Each structure stands twice: as C-alpha cells, then as structure tokens.
Amino acid sequence: MPKFKTSDGLSLHYTDDGNGTAILCLPGLTRTTADFDYVTPHLSGTRLIKMDYRGRGKSDWDANWNNYNLMVESRDAIELLDHLQLDRVAILGTSRGGLLAMGLAVGAKERLSGVALNDIGPVIDPKGLSFIMGYLGKRPPYTDHVAAARAMDQHLPGFSGVPFSRWMEEATKHYVKKDEGLDITYDPKLRDAVEEQGAQAAPDLWPFFDALAGLPIACIRGENSDLLTKETLAEMQARRPDMIAATTAGRGHVPFLDEPEAVAALQIWVEKLR
C-alpha cells in the first residue's frame, strides 16, 4: 500500500497506476481515492495518481485539526508530486479537489498541465454547503450498508435513475462497518476545521479560476447540482470559451464520472493534454 511522508511527518496514502499522461486525482471533502473508481476504466493511456488527504481514508489523521485546510492539502499534493519525481501533472478534482486545483494554479502553476473540475467552480451555492454541514463529521444512523444505500437512494438530492447496486457500492466505499453500526472514513474533527474556516470571510475565487488561463480545462456539472449552479458554469464558459463543459443528466453533487457526458468530456480533455 503506497504511502509517503509529508514535511510535517504524516503518512499519506496514494495509488499510482497506468502509463501515459499523468493525472493527479483529488477527491471531495470527506472522500477518498474511491471517488475515481468508476472513471478509471474510461481513461486508458493515462497514469492515474490518487491521494487520500490527511485525515481521510487510509491516510494519517492530523493531531492539529486546523491543518485540514486547502493550503496544507495543496502542500501535501505538491509533496506527493515531488515524492514521485513528477514535474507536472494534470488534475482531476472532485469538489474540494477542484478548489485545490484552482489554488495550485495560483501558487504553483508551473506544476500543472491541465485541470478538470467535477461539479465545482468559483462560486459555491450555499444550499449545497448547508446539506454538507448536515452530515459532516457525524456517524451515520445506519446499522449496515444496506440501510445506508437505501437512505442514499431515497434522500440524496438531485439523483435519479441510479441502480440500487450503485448505492450499495457507494455505501461500502464511504462507510466502514463496526460492531455498533457504520462509521465514517475520515476524522470527525474535519467538521471543526470547516466550521472554523467558514467563520471567516469567503475569498473571491474568480481570480483562482482565471489563473487557469492557458491550461486545457474541463468542467462537469451534475444537472441537479446544489453546489455548482447553471449560472456559475455559464460564467466560467464565458471567461473560457475553450473550456470543455458537460452536464450529466439525473445527477446532483457529485457526478460519478462514468456518465456518458462526463466520459466524453474527460476523454476530449485528455487528448488536449497530450
């Protein structure tokens, strides 16, 4: 199980598979490398590097929960590239991973060859944030994965036409079974970090998006996303008419990335990276 040590001594999990164009896959806020299981078969001819952030998945938890922030996580990503002796990579970023990609475009653009954003942009809809805060850092009230999958099927906003087998996969990926029921796969102190950061004035992220100038970029939006609005996506396209944009039907936040619209957009983006 590959791991590397950060400059402050944490051991972080990553995977590194395939050959070809190097793409660093950065998951969502509470998520893990499993975010990219569904898209992997569709990105042949690429080297996919996936990382669990500190405090998530198979990576060490940080004794200082204040380090669960975008600046430290961006540093971790750069240190992984250094560990792998990679000068430049493209980034496929889901939600928080996309924010990290935009931040790296400001602070370390020379390390980027392109960016694909999964259901994230420079403006974050408060409705989506409110939904995230409803579960962030809390143990799920389910006794087993079947119950969790049923809850996802019935209550996850914006999704339709998803087979129950997929929700079972999702429940198994994102919850671990313990004697007393299911548990989350990340440090619950992540909630404290997000609350602390949310108490500060939100920065204007449009300059971070604009910093992607000159790089091949793509953006995939769930048709019913409560985090990335149609209006924000339209403004992104106006600023970058060359951006590859796709909307996945019957999906909220976040698309699985194996939807036909997402696969087509990502494959075009990968060709532009070569």
Side-chain angles (χ1 to χ4, degrees), residues 192-206:
D192 298 281
V194 172
E195 286 180 334
E196 177 71 19
Q197 293 149 28
Q200 305 166 20
D204 178 8
L205 295 181
W206 282 111

Side-chain angles (χ1 to χ4, degrees), residues 162-236:
V162 179
F164 187 73
S165 59
R166 173 56 58 89
W167 292 127
M168 277 298 298
E169 290 180 55
E170 285 290 285
T172 303
K173 290 175 190 294
H174 302 299
Y175 297 125
V176 293
K177 184 73 170 71
K178 295 189 175 179
D179 291 342
E180 62 273 24
L182 299 185
D183 203 356
I184 53 180
T185 58
Y186 60 93
D187 185 351
K189 287 292 185 180
L190 181 60
R191 181 182 184 90
D192 298 281
V194 172
E195 286 180 334
E196 177 71 19
Q197 293 149 28
Q200 305 166 20
D204 178 8
L205 295 181
W206 282 111
F208 290 74
F209 176 77
D210 292 337
L212 298 171
L215 297 175
I217 63 171
C219 184
I220 295 155
R221 176 181 179 270
E223 178 185 34
N224 305 314
S225 176
D226 58 3
L227 206 76
L228 174 62
T229 66
K230 290 187 292 185
E231 292 76 17
T232 297
L233 180 60
E235 175 61 19
M236 293 164 71

Side-chain angles (χ1 to χ4, degrees), residues 4-24:
F4 76 101
K5 284 281 188 181
T6 65
S7 54
D8 58 351
L10 268 66
S11 180
L12 302 190
H13 168 72
Y14 72 95
T15 63
D16 183 1
D17 298 296
N19 296 287
T21 304
I23 301 175
L24 176 61

Side-chain angles (χ1 to χ4, degrees), residues 22-213:
I23 301 175
L24 176 61
C25 301
L26 298 176
L29 174 66
T30 64
R31 319 260 289 196
T32 68
T33 59
D35 258 0
F36 305 99
D37 285 355
Y38 307 120
V39 73
T40 294
H42 301 284
L43 297 180
S44 59
T46 64
R47 176 183 176 183
L48 295 181
I49 303 150
K50 308 167 188 175
M51 181 177 77
D52 283 347
Y53 305 129
R54 58 179 61 211
R56 282 81 138 189
K58 298 175 184 176
S59 290
D60 286 351
W61 291 10
D62 197 317
N64 179 6
W65 54 260
N66 283 297
N67 285 332
Y68 298 140
N69 65 65
L70 292 170
M71 290 188 64
V72 172
E73 289 163 11
S74 295
R75 185 186 72 198
D76 292 341
I78 292 295
E79 290 180 357
L80 173 57
L81 300 187
D82 292 342
H83 171 75
L84 296 173
Q85 298 182 320
L86 284 168
D87 292 331
R88 298 172 74 224
V89 296
I91 293 181
L92 171 55
T94 288
S95 196
R96 187 177 184 89
L99 295 178
L100 287 166
M102 289 188 281
L104 288 170
V106 172
K109 190 173 182 179
E110 71 281 359
R111 306 300 295 268
L112 303 183
S113 60
V115 167
L117 306 169
N118 182 19
D119 213 57
I120 192 68
V123 179
I124 299 173
D125 192 322
K127 290 184 294 185
L129 284 178
S130 177
F131 181 79
I132 290 169
M133 293 309 296
Y135 67 78
L136 181 60
K138 302 176 181 178
R139 289 193 64 179
Y142 314 118
T143 57
D144 55 41
H145 288 112
V146 173
R150 286 176 180 151
M152 290 177 178
D153 190 21
Q154 296 170 9
H155 304 300
L156 200 61
F159 286 82
S160 61
V162 179
F164 187 73
S165 59
R166 173 56 58 89
W167 292 127
M168 277 298 298
E169 290 180 55
E170 285 290 285
T172 303
K173 290 175 190 294
H174 302 299
Y175 297 125
V176 293
K177 184 73 170 71
K178 295 189 175 179
D179 291 342
E180 62 273 24
L182 299 185
D183 203 356
I184 53 180
T185 58
Y186 60 93
D187 185 351
K189 287 292 185 180
L190 181 60
R191 181 182 184 90
D192 298 281
V194 172
E195 286 180 334
E196 177 71 19
Q197 293 149 28
Q200 305 166 20
D204 178 8
L205 295 181
W206 282 111
F208 290 74
F209 176 77
D210 292 337
L212 298 171

